[in-house]
Amino acid sequence: MDILSLFIVIPVLTITAIIFLKDAHQVRLVSAFGMGLQLLMAASLVFLYLAARHAGNSDEMLFVKDYLWFKSLNIHYAVGVDGISVAMITLTSLVVFAGIFASWEVEFLRKEFFVSLILLATGVFGFFISIDLFTMFLFYELAVIPMYLLIGIWGTGPKEYSAMKLTLMLMGGSALILVGLLGIYFNSSPGGSQLTFNILEISKVVIPLPAQRIFFPLTFVGFGVLGALFPFHTWSPDGHASAPTAVSMLHAGVLMKLGGYGAFRVAIFLMPEAAHELSWIFIILTSISVIYGAFGAIAQKDLKYINAYSSVSHCGLVLFAVLMMNQTAMNGAIIQMISHGLMTALFFALIGMLYGRTHTRMINEMGGLMKVIPFLSVCYVIAGLASLGLPGLSGFVAEMTIFVGAFQHPELFYRIVTILAVSSIVITAVYILRVVAILLLGPTTNEHFEHLTDAKWFEKISAITLIGSVAAIGLAPFWLSTMIGTSLHPIIEKILALNPF
Amino acid sequence: MSPGTFLIMRHELLLIAAALSVLIAEIFWNPEKKKSISLFSIILFGVVTIIGFLPSPAGALFGGMYISSGARLLMKNILNIGVLLVFIQSVTWLKKEENVEKISEYFLLLISTVVGMNFMISAGHFLIFYIGIELATIPIAALAAYDRYRNKSAEAGIKLILSSALSSGILLYGLSMIYGTTGTLYFTEVTKLFGNNNLQILGFIFFFAGMAFKISIVPFHLWTADVYEGSPVNITSYLSVISKGAAVFILIIILFTVFPVIIATWQKTIFVTSILTMTIANLFAIRQQNLKRFLAFSSISQAGYILLGIIGGNQLGMASVIYYILVYIFSNLGAFGVVTAISNATGKENIDDYNGLYQTNPKLSLIMTLALFSLAGIPPVAGFFGKFFLFTAAAQKGYYLLVLIAVLNTIISLFYYLLVVKAMFIIKSENPIKKFRSDFPTRFALGICVAGIVITGFASIIFEAIRNLSFGV
């Protein structure tokens, strides 16, 4: 068994164990154990990966394993990772681990909850380790479907509507991806040799430009739906607001990154010519996402909606940076994915904890929480500061890199959109500071809040895991950006070779 | 004729022997023993199914009127598996007091339809094909009216017989034109003499319309929902899986072997009908409350997806169609199995009745969810692989637009499948279906369906085996 397949095997074993457990109380222990193991695996994967790179292994993908699956269609189960996927896997295992602890007190159908949650995680892990488009797509859909039950059963508010909307929109995105993948597959060998789904092999050929012009937009928009690309982002606020805490964490923290990662790894990497040609359309759309999301967040009163719109804005920035197609901006895009994943997961976890105490998510009904529940409040401030890009935390590194990269383009168009996108930082500061001021500072408005208790041990585990990671990236971003940067080289080279600009 | 040639017709001969044995048992067994006719027939049919998988010689009989080949044998075997599952699923229902008298009728008639289907699939001549298709349809009309004291059931029987008579008429009209212009009904000779003559094309269109009735392709689907709703559940599942599967099989064989000359014509026909079928059936399915009607429209839309495998005229297409039918047998029989179990236990058949089912009957709900996800094409179950291969087959010939329409249609279908999932898992009910335990045959059949749904996808060997036996135009 290779190390990467273990990332699928462990969750599957955990699920199996949970199904056969008789005692509902042990369910969360087993989940925590399984996902803790996964986190350790992720940590050791990082070390193994760095060690292999130090040893001089310069392959594009490491730990590659390839098993032939459907011979006639040349479909393989193929796994492999580069620095980017390693970073994403680490992010996923952190968020899932924190998510398990954030949902420690789920009572209703506890077994089913953890099974669905871990199934969702299995899909995400599988997606990040795949280098075969077929298995990648399979895992992608596997990650989307448990969302329906997770939101529909354990959600709050108009959960049935939100769950259906989210599922159908994301599956709509995957419909476009499917057509795009088939298009890539049937153009994967212009020379007439065997067709392939393998990303590395496809990246060596040039897909004919007329085909790229059709399949690039399909693939990019398909993944863009999950990355909250305007105007396909509307599932995100409803979905996040209705989802239970851990699901919001996982969804905004990890699942939306599937969109960014896919847009980058499949759409742009495999079809750079069309990406270069058509990027202006999508740059405009993503700029709208960035600004519109930030303004949307200002207008909201529900904490989850604020954070959901803020996610639209931040994930828009990921796609924006990816489309800049140069080393610095792409590097920033990946760091932004990691940073936003951790930060937004932290936000949603804290919102869930606050909601569990105050039973409201409306900011104008709360106030003065800092005195009552200092631990949670301080965590909330840290998350907020990370979100508005304070130096020392991860958000700063990511956004700085993105804007520097975007500004490297000399054309007026790029300058204008970059300036527009930069302005989102200011707007972000407005809504973050406003929330912090109303929510945490000032007098306690509601006497019921006087008796609130601060975070319990499992909530602390969840929050500290995430804050530690956010701070680690903010204080020592270089190991991460080196890991990503070396992996970006082959991709950037491919782009530059075709479009010197 | 040497005894060896009998081996070529092994499937049909064994089935006839099985049917006759059931008949003899009905005549000579004393009334107390008759209850075990179910078990007897299932064991007989199981043996026939197993023997069917033994290697068999390929060849032609009666001067080419009857053809046996690897692909055709495979199709017959797949149908046999499906029929066996339907038989096992119906045991509980047949035990009911009002049905005990008629157990042997049920098996006798159904086995005869299987004989008809087998002849139809092995046809090398349009007359054999026609006889087969009639033999496969008329007994089912009798069975649709099995609960003859229930008005809806009697109505279903009449509707089925009338619409199939009409479709046979249309089919025969088309065949007569083909005969008139080519002077023969042998497949091999018709192929040689077929051109782009207008009358021949018209003949083909009539033939296709007749087949469209049998497969219930829009706009020839109007009989389907009423017949499915009125018939007993087991007959509905038989109609929607086995009859449809057999008709698809022979359609693909005839299109690929008899009409390759006019491939451009039938590709256009299929392009239009497939879009209509998927879209209209899916839109209608959304509004259904009765689960049998719901599954009826879902099965019509499935026929639309299956056409995507046929349209390319390629080997991959044929493989994906046969594979999809296999997957569809497991998925649809899984869904129908749950509907049957609940209908037998409580008599309830509406989606609303399933509210809160997960709280009381978690296993049935999970099986239903798995089956519906497979029908919708959600990984990791087999339906995902089936749909993926169908779409790949169409994309191979450049039908990207059609594939896009089809995948968007799967989103609509996912919506209504999720409505059932929502009823079972999310909606709370004051008065959910009581907890009950199904008897052994039901659980056994559902177990096989679940195993089929899970394994058929991952086990690539199944798809590869099917592909090796398939052929293109």
Side-chain angles (χ1 to χ4, degrees):
Chain A
M1 180 69 64
D2 54 302
I3 177 160
L4 292 179
S5 298
L6 278 179
F7 279 96
I8 305 171
V9 172
I10 290 178
V12 171
L13 287 180
T14 314
I15 290 174
T16 323
I18 293 175
I19 289 173
F20 286 107
L21 276 181
K22 288 270 181 258
D23 183 6
H25 288 284
Q26 287 170 357
V27 168
R28 53 194 186 189
L29 282 178
V30 171
S31 315
F33 177 74
M35 292 303 104
L37 196 61
Q38 190 89 337
L39 187 58
L40 286 179
M41 292 264 308
S44 50
L45 180 67
V46 173
F47 283 114
L48 284 175
Y49 177 82
L50 290 176
R53 284 287 185 227
H54 275 298
N57 189 336
S58 60
D59 292 348
E60 211 167 313
M61 293 279 177
L62 298 187
F63 312 117
V64 174
K65 277 282 176 250
D66 195 315
Y67 305 96
L68 186 59
W69 193 0
F70 288 94
K71 186 161 158 278
S72 51
L73 289 168
N74 201 16
I75 290 174
H76 294 243
Y77 166 80
V79 293
V81 285
D82 60 4
I84 303 165
S85 357
V86 171
M88 302 309 291
I89 289 168
T90 318
L91 164 75
T92 312
S93 30
L94 277 170
V95 174
V96 177
F97 183 71
I100 298 283
F101 284 98
S103 35
W104 206 249
E105 285 183 322
V106 169
E107 291 288 341
F108 182 63
L109 295 179
R110 180 180 281 162
K111 219 176 187 178
E112 288 79 356
F113 178 83
F114 282 104
V115 166
S116 319
L117 194 67
I118 297 176
L119 187 64
L120 170 64
T122 316
V124 178
F125 282 116
F127 181 83
F128 286 133
I129 62 172
S130 297
I131 52 172
D132 184 275
L133 290 174
F134 178 83
T135 46
M136 203 176 201
F137 182 70
L138 191 152
F139 284 119
Y140 174 89
E141 292 218 325
L142 188 62
V144 171
I145 269 302
M147 291 299 293
Y148 179 75
L149 291 177
L150 282 167
I151 297 179
I153 300 179
W154 294 277
T156 50
K159 54 184 186 179
E160 290 158 23
Y161 166 78
S162 311
M164 190 64 95
K165 182 173 175 181
L166 179 140
T167 315
L168 293 186
M169 283 192 74
L170 295 188
M171 292 311 271
S174 83
L176 302 182
I177 296 174
L178 174 60
V179 181
L181 293 192
L182 289 177
I184 295 174
Y185 173 66
F186 284 112
N187 287 297
S188 65
S189 121
S193 57
Q194 200 172 23
L195 301 169
T196 175
F197 277 108
N198 190 304
I199 293 182
L200 294 178
E201 286 171 33
I202 300 173
S203 73
K204 292 195 187 89
V205 302
V206 177
I207 296 172
L209 194 56
Q212 285 197 21
R213 286 199 187 110
I214 299 170
F215 298 115
F216 171 74
L218 283 175
T219 326
F220 191 85
V221 171
F223 282 114
V225 173
L226 194 51
L229 174 72
F230 179 87
F232 309 105
H233 66 283
T234 54
W235 57 269
S236 156
D238 290 324
H240 287 147
S242 299
T245 306
V247 178
S248 298
M249 288 169 69
L250 219 70
H251 200 268
V254 179
L255 214 57
M256 282 172 88
K257 308 301 171 292
L258 257 59
Y261 181 86
F264 156 79
R265 175 80 81 202
V266 179
I268 294 185
F269 182 40
L270 300 183
M271 296 177 281
E273 288 90 348
H276 184 59
E277 223 177 78
L278 300 171
S279 66
W280 62 274
I281 303 175
F282 296 109
I283 288 179
I284 293 175
L285 289 180
T286 50
S287 310
I288 298 177
S289 285
V290 173
I291 299 167
Y292 169 82
F295 274 116
I298 288 193
Q300 296 299 327
K301 293 199 170 63
D302 183 318
L303 280 176
K304 274 198 161 180
Y305 271 102
I306 295 180
N307 209 30
Y309 274 104
S310 139
S311 290
V312 172
S313 170
H314 283 114
C315 287
L317 206 52
V318 171
L319 292 177
F320 175 83
V322 165
L323 285 166
M324 290 298 154
M325 296 173 60
N326 63 24
Q327 167 94 31
T328 321
M330 281 194 168
N331 206 338
I334 313 291
I335 303 180
Q336 170 78 348
M337 283 203 248
I338 310 284
S339 147
H340 174 257
L342 295 167
M343 179 186 82
T344 204
L346 177 60
F347 256 129
F348 277 119
L350 292 168
I351 293 170
M353 294 169 198
L354 287 179
Y355 180 72
R357 293 175 167 73
T358 61
H359 303 290
T360 177
R361 292 196 310 250
M362 294 297 158
I363 48 172
N364 47 6
E365 292 173 17
M366 294 191 239
L369 293 177
M370 184 67 97
K371 287 176 213 146
V372 198
I373 39 175
F375 180 84
L376 288 180
S377 306
V378 169
C379 292
Y380 201 92
V381 174
I382 296 176
L385 295 180
S387 176
L388 58 79
L390 191 80
L393 295 169
S394 58
F396 171 75
V397 185
E399 291 181 358
M400 191 65 199
T401 325
I402 290 177
F403 294 132
V404 169
F407 221 68
Q408 281 173 1
H409 290 273
E411 295 91 341
L412 185 64
F413 170 72
Y414 287 97
R415 289 280 152 91
I416 293 175
V417 289
T418 311
I419 291 169
L420 285 175
V422 171
S423 70
S424 75
I425 295 189
V426 183
I427 312 172
T428 309
V430 173
Y431 66 78
I432 295 284
L433 295 177
R434 189 178 63 115
V435 169
V436 167
I438 300 177
L439 198 64
L440 308 175
L441 309 176
T444 312
T445 47
N446 188 332
E447 71 247 28
H448 294 298
F449 292 173
E450 306 277 351
H451 312 292
L452 297 181
T453 49
D454 211 345
K456 302 197 180 103
W457 64 271
F458 48 85
E459 293 173 327
K460 283 184 179 163
I461 292 185
S462 181
I464 289 172
T465 313
L466 294 169
I467 291 182
S469 322
V470 171
I473 297 176
L475 296 172
F478 299 107
W479 65 268
L480 179 62
S481 56
T482 327
M483 192 163 93
I484 297 167
T486 44
S487 304
L488 276 173
H489 275 309
I491 299 167
I492 298 293
E493 269 166 28
K494 179 170 155 82
I495 294 170
L496 288 185
L498 301 161
N499 309 295
F501 61 94
Chain B
M1 219 170 153
S2 70
T5 49
F6 281 107
L7 270 180
I8 297 178
M9 285 183 78
R10 194 178 61 194
H11 274 83
E12 289 79 3
L13 293 175
L14 282 172
L15 282 169
I16 291 170
L20 290 178
S21 316
V22 174
L23 188 63
I24 291 168
E26 163 68 22
I27 295 171
F28 291 105
W29 285 9
N30 52 37
E32 290 89 74
K33 238 177 135 187
K34 277 186 185 164
K35 276 187 185 165
S36 48
I37 284 186
S38 291
L39 184 65
F40 174 66
S41 317
I42 289 172
I43 291 175
L44 262 183
F45 200 85
V47 172
V48 172
T49 309
I50 292 168
I51 295 177
F53 278 97
L54 299 177
S56 168
L61 289 178
F62 312 121
M65 286 181 96
Y66 177 99
I67 300 171
S68 172
S69 68
R72 297 185 198 227
L73 283 172
L74 176 70
M75 292 169 176
K76 291 177 188 174
N77 285 334
I78 288 177
L79 287 182
N80 277 350
I81 295 174
V83 176
L84 190 60
L85 279 172
V86 174
F87 280 177
I88 300 174
Q89 280 182 349
S90 29
V91 170
T92 319
W93 169 67
L94 287 171
K95 273 190 199 144
K96 284 190 175 176
E97 212 173 314
E98 68 265 28
N99 296 333
V100 169
E101 295 280 297
K102 304 181 283 186
I103 293 181
S104 54
E105 277 173 41
Y106 176 82
F107 287 106
L108 187 59
L109 289 175
L110 277 192
I111 295 177
S112 337
T113 65
V114 183
V115 176
M117 288 167 193
N118 278 348
F119 271 115
M120 179 167 101
I121 289 173
S122 270
H125 185 282
F126 274 114
L127 272 183
I128 293 274
F129 157 73
Y130 178 71
I131 292 170
I133 213 168
E134 287 302 290
L135 184 54
T137 317
I138 295 172
I140 301 206
L143 285 171
Y146 198 76
D147 295 341
R148 57 182 175 278
Y149 298 112
R150 245 179 62 232
N151 280 345
K152 277 205 164 177
S153 183
E155 181 195 327
I158 283 292
K159 269 199 175 140
L160 182 56
I161 196 78
L162 286 181
S163 59
S164 74
L166 178 65
S167 68
S168 300
I170 294 173
L171 189 76
L172 276 181
Y173 193 34
L175 294 186
S176 70
M177 287 178 197
I178 292 171
Y179 183 70
T181 50
T182 60
T184 176
L185 283 175
Y186 281 100
F187 285 2
T188 43
E189 290 172 28
V190 171
T191 318
K192 283 179 211 147
L193 298 168
F194 222 71
N196 273 316
N197 176 331
N198 282 343
L199 192 57
Q200 286 176 339
I201 303 252
L202 193 63
F204 165 75
I205 296 290
F206 274 103
F207 161 80
F208 187 81
M211 288 309 288
F213 261 108
K214 307 284 180 197
I215 310 177
S216 61
I217 292 171
V218 176
F220 307 101
H221 66 292
L222 294 164
W223 59 276
T224 319
D226 291 342
V227 172
Y228 280 21
E229 188 190 358
S231 311
V233 190
N234 294 297
I235 302 301
T236 310
S237 57
Y238 188 85
L239 269 171
S240 79
V241 179
I242 312 296
S243 301
K244 179 173 289 206
V248 167
F249 283 155
I250 187 61
L251 177 68
I252 194 168
I253 287 182
I254 291 183
L255 286 182
F256 280 26
T257 58
V258 185
F259 298 120
V261 184
I262 50 163
I263 182 165
T265 311
W266 56 258
Q267 281 178 332
K268 277 176 215 146
T269 320
I270 289 180
F271 188 83
V272 177
T273 47
S274 133
I275 293 177
L276 282 177
T277 307
M278 291 182 287
T279 316
I280 291 178
N282 276 331
L283 292 179
F284 273 91
I286 294 175
R287 299 186 57 85
Q288 302 306 320
Q289 262 304 311
N290 179 291
L291 266 165
K292 275 151 75 184
R293 281 186 88 86
F294 172 88
L295 287 171
F297 279 104
S298 128
S299 82
I300 298 174
S301 77
Q302 300 289 340
Y305 302 123
I306 290 171
L307 289 180
L308 257 75
I310 302 180
I311 194 168
N314 43 358
Q315 184 189 8
L316 179 62
M318 186 180 218
S320 66
V321 169
I322 299 177
Y323 179 75
Y324 194 79
I325 296 277
L326 177 66
V327 171
Y328 176 70
I329 284 177
F330 290 126
S331 326
N332 223 24
L333 287 183
F336 269 113
V338 175
V339 176
T340 314
I342 289 175
S343 166
N344 281 336
T346 62
K348 292 180 176 175
E349 284 178 359
N350 277 345
I351 296 183
D352 291 344
D353 300 328
Y354 282 49
N355 288 354
L357 186 70
Y358 183 70
Q359 302 284 349
T360 50
N361 292 293
K363 280 185 190 151
L364 282 181
S365 314
L366 286 174
I367 295 172
M368 187 73 170
T369 312
L370 207 60
L372 291 178
F373 279 179
S374 183
L375 287 173
I378 302 292
V381 284
F384 169 77
F385 295 88
K387 282 232 167 75
F388 189 88
F389 296 142
L390 284 177
F391 297 159
T392 313
Q396 191 177 37
K397 292 290 172 184
Y399 288 99
Y400 289 106
L401 181 64
L402 188 61
V403 173
L404 184 64
I405 294 171
V407 277
L408 291 179
N409 260 298
T410 61
I411 311 297
I412 306 179
S413 72
L414 183 63
F415 170 70
Y416 59 77
Y417 291 131
L418 282 179
L419 288 181
V420 181
V421 175
K422 179 167 114 181
M424 294 188 298
F425 284 84
I426 299 176
I427 299 176
K428 304 269 188 303
S429 169
E430 306 263 301
N431 183 22
I433 289 169
K434 295 275 177 302
K435 190 172 175 57
F436 67 90
R437 191 175 161 77
S438 329
D439 57 358
F440 176 73
T442 311
R443 279 182 284 137
F444 181 69
L446 284 177
I448 294 180
C449 289
V450 169
I453 290 172
V454 174
I455 295 168
T456 320
F458 284 109
S460 56
I461 186 168
I462 298 175
F463 179 73
E464 296 299 336
I466 291 175
R467 188 177 178 280
N468 287 337
L469 289 175
S470 309
F471 53 86
V473 167

